[in-house]
């Protein structure tokens, strides 16, 4: 735990959240019993492949899932003592942008193309801070300066199409931080950017986080970004949370087969020998027809009979480490071809041996 975090200082608590979408083809079980807590000033990285429920979970926190077809079947979302799921739409409008802000994945579709950038940022000041038009505009210029957009005064009078991808994302960050929120949700904000701009955006978020003291939920499928930004990581698969632990512990000692597969597919710059990257065979399950047992079982190299019949819950395997798995991968042998677990373990052991020789 870093110095930024205080013990038992919970800002957000999500309990047994279940979200369904009622479609013509059936009921899509998008989020299935997800629970976690977020402390003030903490950064939680939520990772998983596309369609695993990361974005739906985030939109549910802000009350933004379309209804219909979406519906929160059960659970609770506490912002301190308030259950956000019990607030009216009018009350949620006071929360959005003021206490909880969100940066969306594609800024070009999130920004209004017919309004100047300054107007879109200033709106938050008028709605939540009771600023007049001039005060809000000056505040918008200051926010653009804070996110390091050059010439913020002139840029505030331009339309989104005049901005590059990286600058549009910075403008979205300025909008998200305009009211000094206690929680920022970033939904894959660097996905469409090149790696140089990605690094700049991540460094900017880290600096602003430390300056403002806000908590962050960073949603991504890029484990490299999470490694340099987050305090804790939650891995999702098919709408379920399958592993949760401090970031360093997940990288040093992954315990869920899916997490092991994700890490095994990453290229590593610290390896001296050439290894073929591993892959996770098969496809994610159909969210309309999820199996009764573990959703990862058809693709898992460690699967046993119990995995097909009963879905595991998140259980502790360490002081701050939880996984949803019936198998202890540190002792189990794989049962299918494509030995992801052994490959990851061998790479780790070989690396340790190389370091020791040096």
């Amino acid at each position: 735990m870093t110095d930024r975090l205080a013990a038992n200082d919970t800002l957000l608590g999500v309990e047994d959240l279940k979200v369904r979408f009622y479609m013509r083809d059936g009921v899509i079980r998008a989020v299935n019993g997800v629970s976690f807590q977020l402390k003030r000033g903490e950064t939680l990285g939520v990772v998983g492949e596309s369609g695993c429920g990361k974005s739906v979970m985030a939109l549910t926190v802000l009350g933004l899932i379309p209804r219909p077809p979406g519906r929160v079947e059960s659970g609770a979302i506490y912002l301190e003592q308030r259950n956000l799921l019990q607030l009216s739409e009018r009350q949620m409008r006071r929360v959005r942008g003021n206490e909880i802000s969100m940066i969306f994945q594609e800024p070009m579709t999130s920004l209004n193309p017919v309004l100047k950038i300054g107007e879109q940022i200033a709106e938050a000041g008028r709605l939540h801070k009771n600023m007049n038009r001039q005060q809000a505009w000056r505040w918008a210029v200051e926010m653009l300066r804070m996110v390091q957009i050059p010439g913020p005064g002139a840029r505030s009078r331009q339309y989104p199409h005049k901005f590059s991808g990286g600058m549009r994302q910075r403008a979205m960050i300025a909008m998200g931080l305009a009211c000094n929120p206690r929680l920022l949700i970033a939904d894959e904000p660097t996905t469409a950017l090149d790696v140089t701009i990605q690094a700049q955006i991540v460094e900017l978020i880290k600096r602003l986080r430390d300056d403002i003291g806000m908590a962050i939920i960073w949603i991504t499928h890029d484990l490299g970004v999470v490694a340099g930004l987050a305090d804790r990581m939650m891995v999702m698969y098919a709408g379920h949370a399958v592993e949760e632990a401090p970031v360093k512990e997940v990288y040093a000692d992954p315990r869920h087969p899916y997490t092991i597969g994700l890490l095994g597919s990453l290229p590593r710059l610290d390896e001296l020998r050439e290894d073929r990257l591993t892959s996770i065979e098969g496809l994610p399950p159909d969210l309309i027809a999820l199996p009764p047992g573990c959703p990862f079982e058809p693709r898992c190299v460690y699967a046993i009979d119990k995995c097909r019949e009963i879905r595991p819950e998140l259980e502790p395997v360490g002081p701050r480490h939880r996984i949803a798995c019936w198998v202890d991968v540190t002792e189990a042998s794989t049962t299918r071809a494509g030995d992801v677990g052994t490959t990851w373990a061998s790479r780790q052991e070989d690396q340790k041996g190389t370091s020791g020789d040096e």
Side-chain angles (χ1 to χ4, degrees), residues 81 148 193 239 284 299 306:
Q81 304 301 318
Q148 301 175 347
L193 307 177
R299 307 171 70 184
K306 187 177 183 179

Side-chain angles (χ1 to χ4, degrees), residues 36-311:
F36 66 90
Q37 291 186 341
L38 183 70
K39 298 181 184 299
R40 291 180 179 83
E42 183 181 24
T43 301
L44 173 68
V46 181
V47 302
E49 58 199 63
S50 297
C52 71
K54 307 185 301 293
S55 297
V56 172
M57 180 192 68
L59 291 172
T60 305
V61 170
L62 282 170
L64 291 177
I65 62 169
R67 305 182 188 185
R71 183 191 301 173
V72 179
E73 292 287 301
S74 66
I77 302 173
Y78 289 100
L79 182 64
E80 294 181 329
Q81 304 301 318
R82 289 172 295 166
N83 186 352
L84 299 183
L85 298 180
Q86 295 178 350
L87 300 185
S88 65
E89 178 57 28
R90 183 176 180 180
Q91 291 171 319
M92 279 302 300
R93 281 198 296 268
R94 297 194 188 103
V95 172
R96 297 189 200 110
N98 189 30
E99 299 183 69
I100 305 176
S101 288
M102 187 165 183
I103 304 172
F104 294 93
Q105 181 173 351
E106 178 44 64
M108 199 58 198
T109 59
S110 303
L111 293 167
N112 191 325
V114 299
L115 290 179
K116 296 175 182 177
I117 291 292
E119 292 176 307
Q120 299 186 55
I121 300 174
E123 182 181 10
R126 294 198 304 271
L127 289 177
H128 296 297
K129 300 297 183 183
N130 296 320
M131 296 179 180
N132 61 35
R133 186 170 293 274
Q134 289 183 337
Q135 290 172 329
W137 191 274
R138 287 195 297 268
W139 179 245
V141 173
E142 286 303 312
M143 294 305 299
L144 290 176
R145 181 176 287 109
M146 185 179 72
V147 297
Q148 301 175 347
I149 288 183
R155 286 292 189 178
S156 66
R157 295 186 290 273
Q158 293 181 341
Y159 293 92
H161 71 273
K162 292 286 189 178
F163 280 49
S164 66
M167 290 180 66
R168 284 197 296 265
Q169 197 58 277
R170 288 174 185 267
M172 285 294 298
I173 294 170
M175 290 177 63
L177 300 182
C179 295
N180 293 327
R182 291 184 289 169
L183 171 60
L184 177 69
I185 301 175
D187 187 6
E188 303 197 39
T190 61
T191 297
L193 307 177
D194 64 62
V195 290
T196 303
I197 303 301
Q198 281 186 25
Q200 294 175 1
I201 295 296
V202 170
E203 287 303 314
L204 173 63
I205 290 290
K206 289 169 67 175
R207 179 177 63 81
L208 295 174
R209 174 196 64 189
D210 295 339
D211 291 345
I212 299 173
M214 62 185 175
I216 298 175
I217 297 177
W218 188 280
I219 298 170
T220 185
H221 58 264
D222 189 338
L223 278 78
V225 171
V226 172
L229 177 68
D231 301 297
R232 196 157 47 89
M233 181 191 299
M234 181 171 70
V235 182
M236 291 188 64
Y237 183 80
H240 298 82
V242 297
E243 185 157 8
E244 181 191 356
V247 166
K248 292 182 180 179
E249 191 166 339
V250 172
Y251 279 84
D253 185 26
R255 300 293 292 274
H256 192 279
Y258 178 59
T259 310
I260 292 172
L262 290 179
L263 293 173
S265 66
L266 289 178
R268 294 182 50 161
L269 300 178
D270 59 345
E271 288 185 339
L272 301 180
R273 67 187 184 88
E274 294 184 1
D275 265 332
R276 189 178 181 86
L277 295 179
T278 59
S279 63
I280 303 176
E281 301 295 331
L283 296 172
D286 184 353
L287 295 179
I288 294 178
L290 283 172
C294 174
F296 189 62
E297 181 273 331
R299 307 171 70 184
C300 182
V301 296
Y302 296 97
I304 58 176
D305 291 341
K306 187 177 183 179
C307 301
R308 285 187 290 272
E309 301 166 357
I310 305 172
R311 183 173 67 86

Side-chain angles (χ1 to χ4, degrees), residues 337-348:
D339 193 342
V340 175
T342 300
T343 303
W344 169 261
S346 65
R347 294 169 76 190
Q348 294 294 89

